[in-house]
Amino acid sequence: MNPRVTVITAGGAEKLLPAPADRSQLVSDWLAAHGVALNMRCGGRGRCRGCLVEAGAGHAAVRACQTTFGQLPNDTITIPPASCADHTLHGVSDFEVRAGGVRPKLRPGLGLALDIGTTTVAGALWDLAAGTCLATASRGNAQRRHGDDIVSRITFAVENEAGLDRLHRALVNDTLAPLIKDLTCEAKVAAGLIREAVAAGNPTMLHTLARESLAGLATYPFRPVFLGERTLTASDVGLDGDYRLQLLPGLGPFVGSDITAGALAAGLLEPRRGPALLMDFGTNGELLLRTSDGYLAAAAAAGPAFEGGRLRHGATARAGVISSLRLEGGVWKSGVIGGSAHAHGISGAAYVDFLAEAWRAGILNEFGRFDRSCPDVRPPSGEETTGCLVSLGNGLDVSESDVAEILQAKAAIAGGVNTLLELAGLQPHDLETVLVAGGFGYNLDMANALAIGLLPRTPPDRVELIGNASLGGASLVLQTDDMPALSSLRTLTRTVELNQIPSFEEHFTAALALGTCGH
C-alpha cells in the first residue's frame, strides 16, 4: 500500500491523500495538485508567511512554498485558516447602479457580468428577457498563488517560460469556471443558456484572460497590447460555451475598465455634475477625478493590504473574519462576519478602525509607532521581526509592521488623490461627491477612514459607498450596450503616471503620517 499523508484543513476536516513519490516536491505544489489552495500572496518566493502549514503537534510552522516533503518531520499537515486561499468573499458582489434613464435592451437568454479583480473576482447572472439579476457570487482570484499584486504577476509571466499560461489557467480554470458554476447553481439554470458576457478589469487581468503578452507592462514606457474594447467568445479564452465575451475598454496601462465601468454605474458620466472623485479600493487602487474640463485618472499601487494581504493576521472579508473594531474602556471589541465568537483573521476595514482607535487613545503616534509605555503594547519575543504588538484577543494581534504596511497603502492612495487635485487646481472641499467603490469599502467606517487621512477631507455627508461599481457597470453595459459613453470617457480623460509627476513623492511622503489626505 502506498504511504498516505493526512491533511487537516481549516475547520478540522481531514483528508487522506497519497504521499508524493518524489520527496523533493514542494509541499505547496503537492497540495495544489490535490485541490488544496494556499494563500500564496508573494507568488511562492518565500517573502511572506501566507502559506504557513504545521507538520504535526509540537513542530514549528513552515512555509509550504519553500519546504519539501523530505524536510517534514512527519506526514501530517495542518493548514491554519489564515493560510487557506479565499473562495467565497463578503460584500464583493454587492453593487448598485446610479446612472439615470437606464432602458434595458430586453432579449432572450442569460447574460453574465464579470468584475475581474487582482485579488477577487465577482459575477452577476442576468435574465436578459426580464432585465433582472438572478444571482451574484464572488471568489478569490487563484492567480494569487503566483503573486498578490500586479507587479509580481507581470514579473511571473515575463520571467517564467510558461508564466502567462499558468496565470491564464489559474484565472479561467480555477476561478472563472467555478464562479460561473456557482452562479448557475444559485439561479438553478443551465450554463448553456448564457448568450452574452461582459467583463471589466485592469489591463493585466484582461491581458491574462485574452492570453496576450504582459511584456509591454513590465517596463516604462508601458505599452499594453490593447486598451480598447475587445470582443471574444467564451471558447476563445477556454470557458465552456460559444457566447460572446466583451472586454470593456480601459484608460491606461494600469487604469482599467474596472474604473470606466465604475464611472458609468456611479453616474459620473452624466452631465450637470460638479467636481467628483471615484476611488476604487483594490490591490491596484484606481482614481478618477471629474473636473470642469474633463477627467483625470491614475492608478495608485496600494498593494493588497486593504484586502488583508501581507499582514500578520490579515484576511479578505469572509465568515469568521473581523470586519470592525472599537476600543471601549481599554478593551478591544470586534464585529465578526457571520457572528462567530472565534475570529481567525482581520479585514482591511478593521485595520483602518484599529489605526483610528489606537491613534485617538494614544497607543499609536502619527508615524505608526506604538507607545511602549502603554500596558496593551508588548515587545516582540523570540525571532519576531514585526515590531511591538497589540493583542485584540482570539489569538489575533496587530504589529508595527502591519501598521507600516497599511500606512504605505494609505499613502499611495492619498498621495494619488492629492496629486490629481493639485493638477486640477482643486481642494478637497471643492469635491461635490467622493464615491468609494470596491469590496473593501463594504465594511469601511467613514469617520475612521477620514480620521486617518485615507479619504480627502470633505464633509462626511459627501462620501458615499457604492459597492462593486465595476460589476455594476459591466451589468449596465450588458443590459444597455452603452458603449458610446465609455468611448466618450476615454477621449475626455487624461491618464496620469503618478511616478512621472514631481510632486507625487512629496504628497506620498506627507501621507505616510496619520491624518493626512488633502489640506
Side-chain angles (χ1 to χ4, degrees):
M1 180 181 293
N2 292 331
R4 314 287 279 184
V5 177
T6 301
V7 177
I8 305 173
T9 56
E14 292 190 12
K15 293 183 178 183
L16 199 60
L17 301 173
D22 180 5
R23 302 291 289 186
S24 67
Q25 184 175 14
L26 290 172
V27 174
S28 58
D29 290 345
W30 179 82
L31 287 170
H34 287 86
V36 182
L38 297 178
N39 183 357
M40 304 277 283
R41 57 181 181 251
C42 72
R45 298 191 297 276
R47 297 178 183 174
C48 71
R49 297 168 60 86
C51 66
L52 288 181
V53 298
E54 300 164 3
H59 294 281
V62 296
R63 291 177 172 88
C65 70
Q66 301 294 306
T67 305
T68 67
F69 263 89
Q71 296 171 306
L72 293 179
N74 55 56
D75 282 345
T76 298
I77 298 172
T78 301
I79 304 173
S83 296
C84 294
D86 302 320
H87 290 296
T88 56
L89 304 163
H90 183 69
V92 178
S93 55
D94 292 348
F95 63 90
E96 56 183 281
V97 174
R98 298 188 172 194
V102 176
R103 294 184 177 85
K105 186 176 70 175
L106 304 179
R107 66 267 195 205
L110 302 180
L112 175 66
L114 295 169
D115 165 44
I116 304 176
T118 309
T119 302
T120 61
V121 176
L125 190 65
W126 291 83
D127 179 345
L128 297 177
T132 57
C133 185
L134 302 177
T136 62
S138 57
R139 278 188 168 247
N141 189 333
Q143 288 184 343
R144 286 190 74 175
R145 61 176 173 257
H146 303 304
D148 64 357
D149 58 29
I150 290 293
V151 174
S152 60
R153 292 192 204 164
I154 293 172
T155 301
F156 180 83
V158 172
E159 293 184 353
N160 292 274
E161 184 177 352
L164 180 60
D165 286 339
R166 292 172 69 182
L167 286 174
H168 176 80
R169 287 196 300 272
L171 178 58
V172 174
N173 298 356
D174 302 338
T175 308
L176 290 178
L179 177 67
I180 294 169
K181 184 177 180 180
D182 292 344
L183 289 166
T184 54
C185 286
E186 182 184 333
K188 297 181 174 58
V189 296
L193 296 176
I194 298 175
R195 297 287 181 265
E196 301 173 46
V198 173
N202 65 62
T204 301
M205 293 301 99
L206 297 190
H207 274 56
T208 58
L209 177 62
R211 291 193 185 96
E212 293 287 6
S213 171
L214 297 178
L217 294 169
T219 57
Y220 185 84
F222 305 108
R223 293 194 175 94
V225 175
F226 70 98
L227 274 178
E229 175 194 1
R230 177 170 283 201
T231 301
L232 306 168
T233 65
S235 58
D236 286 338
V237 301
L239 291 169
D240 291 338
D242 204 34
Y243 52 87
R244 185 181 74 160
L245 173 60
Q246 189 177 22
L247 308 185
L248 297 183
L251 299 173
F254 300 100
V255 184
S257 56
D258 43 357
I259 201 75
T260 58
L264 180 65
L268 206 59
L269 309 186
E270 296 179 359
R272 299 183 301 278
R273 292 194 60 169
L277 176 67
L278 173 60
M279 307 174 70
D280 192 339
F281 284 95
T283 307
N284 186 48
E286 294 174 56
L287 308 168
L288 183 68
L289 176 64
R290 173 174 172 144
T291 74
S292 58
D293 300 320
Y295 301 84
L296 292 173
F306 292 132
E307 292 167 312
R310 299 179 189 165
L311 305 175
R312 184 178 171 89
H313 295 293
T316 45
R318 62 185 188 276
V321 170
I322 293 175
S323 60
S324 63
L325 282 168
R326 65 185 186 279
L327 190 60
E328 291 184 357
V331 178
W332 288 99
K333 304 288 187 180
S334 58
V336 181
I337 297 170
S340 172
H342 301 287
H344 55 71
I346 308 169
S347 73
Y351 278 105
V352 170
D353 291 341
F354 175 85
L355 262 62
E357 293 279 333
W359 187 32
R360 293 187 190 106
I363 299 170
L364 186 68
N365 69 22
E366 64 178 315
F367 303 110
R369 304 293 289 179
F370 292 143
D371 182 348
R372 270 65 170 167
S373 67
C374 288
D376 288 346
V377 177
R378 71 171 177 83
S381 60
E383 297 180 357
E384 290 177 341
T385 58
T386 56
C388 290
L389 305 169
V390 171
S391 174
L392 304 177
N394 275 317
L396 301 176
D397 52 50
V398 177
S399 71
E400 284 181 322
S401 291
D402 293 335
V403 172
E405 197 75 37
I406 289 286
L407 288 180
Q408 288 276 337
K410 185 270 258 194
I413 296 290
V417 168
N418 290 335
T419 301
L420 293 187
L421 288 173
E422 179 184 69
L423 292 174
L426 296 172
Q427 296 294 322
H429 61 76
D430 295 324
L431 294 171
E432 187 177 88
T433 311
V434 176
L435 301 159
V436 178
F440 166 71
Y442 187 82
N443 293 300
L444 193 61
D445 183 296
M446 288 297 104
N448 287 340
L450 285 163
I452 70 168
L454 179 59
L455 302 177
R457 293 194 179 282
T458 60
D461 60 1
R462 297 187 191 179
V463 181
E464 302 177 26
L465 299 179
I466 59 174
N468 189 335
S470 174
L471 185 60
S475 297
L476 192 57
V477 173
L478 181 69
Q479 295 175 76
T480 64
D481 195 24
D482 197 359
M483 286 301 300
L486 296 186
S487 299
S488 175
L489 176 62
R490 294 191 70 201
T491 61
L492 293 172
T493 301
R494 173 191 170 192
T495 301
V496 177
E497 295 279 355
L498 291 174
N499 60 1
Q500 301 298 308
I501 305 298
S503 61
F504 171 68
E505 184 175 353
E506 178 184 343
H507 289 307
F508 174 86
T509 302
L512 285 170
L514 285 165
T516 305
C517 184
H519 302 283

